[in-house]
Amino acid sequence: MQNASRVRIVLTLASSPVTVFVVALSARLLVLRQLLPAKAWSGFYEYNEFARIAWAVVSGYGYSSPWAHTPLAPTAVEPPIYSYLLAGIFRLAGSYSYVSLWIAVTFNAVFSALTAVLILHIGKRDFGAPTGVLAAWVWSCWLYEAVVSVRLWESSLSALFLATALLILPTLAESPRWSRWLLFGLLAGIAALTNTTLLSLFPFFWLWLWILYRRRGRSCSKVLLASIGVCLLTILPWTIRNYETFHRLMPVRDNFGLELWIGNHEGAIHDHQFPRDFPLIDPLEHNRLGELRFMEAKRQIALQFIREHPLEFVWLSARRCFRYWTAPEEVIWLPLSLTAWLGGATALSRRGRDAVPYLVVLLVFPLVYYSTHTFSSYRHPIEPAMILLAGYATVTALQALGKPLLRSKGSTSGE
């Protein structure tokens, strides 16, 4: 009797959002204690584009200069949300200060711990309590996720925004309440100004909602258009800033040509780091041409390379695809990624169209990285969805294996 009571207490604690949040936050603060101050500069501030832009903002130069040894000129290399968040911290506690670093990475830790709570809620609702609890605790306790989440980058915030979108989507599918749809449009706009790749997902989310309503014989056209409108209005001020600054239409960023060139140029197949002309390594060409002309020059080089070496481009893209799902440790991430895809297929067969948003995340978000270049941290925003799907596949497999065992024990005891 006492054992059963203890098990219930443990299960209650394990499925508690407060417990999950505290454990996730503690794990991330533990990581920070190990990394700071030994790697405070080299591991966080040095070469950090967001921090460099934040310094420029606080120093009175405006939104400019993402790389050291480049002119203090306006930039659109990075989206603005995270840079301005860091700028606010720098203004409060000093540019590049140790206190500012602690504040910034603690924010990231909190964002990631909140994501653990969302994983718990989403998993319970969409896949059942065992999946939600398993996925939330993997996210909370896995030190890899803790390390990546506290990096001085937008990754933690992006993962939180995507998890929030997955949390809200089913409520939109059930209700045409204006407030929810407008909030979803605002989320899409803010997400786009944080990590532009997230914007690629929201048109598919809106399309999925429209199809659901059409199949039920209902209309969501007005609230859907309003949601899209709010998203566009959220992005519009930054687009206007870019147009007034550069006299060219660019909704958020101008660096696609550079990203395409990094992964597609002569000798790219042998590169394991950034090419020599990348401004962090050698800013000479960037400084000579200026940001827009530099980006355009790199885009032309990349496109010419792709036209002249189509088979090599296909091979590089395939290699990037494999690396996207397996870096940094193939022995860990290959099985996890395959299990996540298995979970997506299982969810599609069992839950039908309700599983479509998860498949959209797996299919659409990585596409730009297959054609440009990739690092393991680029996968972080979708890792909550991956861990949920992998957890679902694992729980489903264990339940399938458990049923024959239970039947076998039942028949044995009956004899």
Side-chain angles (χ1 to χ4, degrees):
M1 210 48 193
Q2 288 183 345
N3 288 337
S5 177
R6 289 171 183 168
V7 169
R8 280 196 298 271
I9 292 172
V10 170
L11 291 176
T12 300
L13 286 173
S15 60
S16 164
V18 174
T19 305
V20 167
F21 177 83
V22 169
V23 171
L25 184 59
S26 299
R28 282 141 184 80
L29 294 177
L30 176 65
V31 164
L32 290 175
R33 186 180 176 186
Q34 299 298 316
L35 294 178
L36 297 174
K39 297 184 179 179
W41 176 261
S42 62
F44 291 88
Y45 279 143
E46 190 178 19
Y47 308 131
N48 188 284
E49 294 167 11
F50 289 107
R52 172 79 176 180
I53 293 171
W55 165 82
V57 170
V58 171
S59 300
Y61 298 108
Y63 199 90
S64 61
S65 187
W67 300 299
H69 310 299
T70 60
L72 286 163
T75 185
V77 165
E78 294 292 353
I81 293 290
Y82 196 72
S83 292
Y84 278 118
L85 174 62
L86 286 183
I89 295 170
F90 280 3
R91 191 172 296 278
L92 176 69
S95 296
Y96 290 125
S97 74
Y98 188 63
V99 175
S100 289
L101 181 57
W102 260 109
I103 295 172
V105 293
T106 300
F107 265 117
N108 287 353
V110 171
F111 296 149
S112 188
L114 289 172
T115 302
V117 176
L118 295 189
I119 290 171
L120 180 68
H121 283 299
I122 296 168
K124 285 182 175 180
R125 181 195 64 194
D126 292 351
F127 305 114
T131 297
V133 172
L134 174 62
W137 279 85
V138 169
W139 179 268
S140 299
C141 298
W142 191 5
L143 288 183
Y144 169 83
E145 294 295 354
V147 171
V148 176
S149 67
V150 298
R151 178 174 175 244
L152 199 62
W153 210 255
E154 43 69 28
S155 307
S156 295
L157 196 53
S158 298
L160 178 62
F161 285 151
L162 181 51
T164 304
L166 292 174
L167 181 70
I168 294 174
L169 266 173
T171 68
L172 303 182
E174 298 300 326
S175 171
R177 284 177 56 182
W178 281 80
S179 58
R180 293 178 180 176
W181 285 74
L182 296 180
L183 178 63
F184 190 72
L186 179 64
L187 174 66
I190 294 174
L193 294 174
T194 304
N195 180 328
T196 314
T197 310
L198 288 175
L199 186 60
S200 66
L201 299 175
F202 283 88
F204 293 94
F205 292 159
W206 282 312
L207 178 61
W208 175 75
L209 290 166
W210 182 79
I211 292 172
L212 279 184
Y213 275 81
R214 290 282 292 180
R215 288 185 174 177
R216 295 169 185 165
R218 301 168 61 191
S219 174
C220 66
S221 298
K222 290 182 179 179
V223 287
L224 188 145
L225 289 174
S227 183
I228 296 172
V230 169
C231 173
L232 295 176
L233 286 174
T234 304
I235 298 172
L236 184 61
W238 189 249
T239 305
I240 293 173
R241 176 265 180 189
N242 286 343
Y243 185 80
E244 289 184 346
T245 302
F246 299 102
H247 308 293
R248 184 179 298 182
L249 182 62
M250 55 178 80
V252 182
R253 305 176 70 181
D254 66 1
N255 69 327
F256 180 75
L258 175 64
E259 304 297 325
L260 189 66
W261 166 78
I262 290 172
N264 301 282
H265 60 270
E266 295 288 349
I269 200 166
H270 303 297
D271 284 347
H272 299 289
Q273 296 179 337
F274 287 116
R276 183 179 178 276
D277 288 342
F278 189 76
L280 272 178
I281 300 171
D282 184 353
L284 205 60
E285 184 181 6
H286 173 275
N287 295 351
R288 178 173 59 84
L289 295 176
E291 183 167 298
L292 283 189
R293 289 176 60 203
F294 176 76
M295 299 298 175
E296 180 61 24
K298 294 307 179 188
R299 187 180 74 88
Q300 293 297 333
I301 293 171
L303 291 176
Q304 182 177 352
F305 173 83
I306 293 169
R307 284 193 300 267
E308 295 177 356
H309 305 89
L311 293 180
E312 189 170 343
F313 171 70
V314 171
W315 167 246
L316 286 168
S317 298
R319 192 174 71 167
R320 286 187 287 260
C321 176
F322 182 78
R323 187 181 178 198
Y324 184 88
W325 295 105
T326 60
E329 295 291 338
E330 186 177 318
V331 69
I332 296 173
W333 278 100
L334 180 57
L336 193 151
S337 295
L338 291 174
T339 307
W341 279 96
L342 177 61
T346 304
L348 190 63
S349 66
R350 293 191 172 198
R351 298 181 55 81
R353 58 177 175 260
D354 290 345
V356 168
Y358 292 95
L359 272 297
V360 166
V361 170
L362 295 183
L363 288 167
V364 175
F365 186 84
L367 288 177
V368 67
Y369 303 116
Y370 299 161
S371 60
T372 56
H373 70 104
T374 185
F375 294 108
S376 57
S377 58
Y378 292 177
R379 189 186 54 232
H380 188 74
I382 70 169
E383 283 171 7
M386 291 176 62
I387 290 173
L388 274 167
L389 291 173
Y392 181 55
T394 301
V395 169
T396 303
L398 291 174
Q399 289 172 343
L401 289 171
K403 288 177 182 178
L405 290 174
L406 288 174
R407 284 197 297 266
S408 175
K409 287 182 179 179
S411 62
T412 303
S413 61
E415 290 173 1

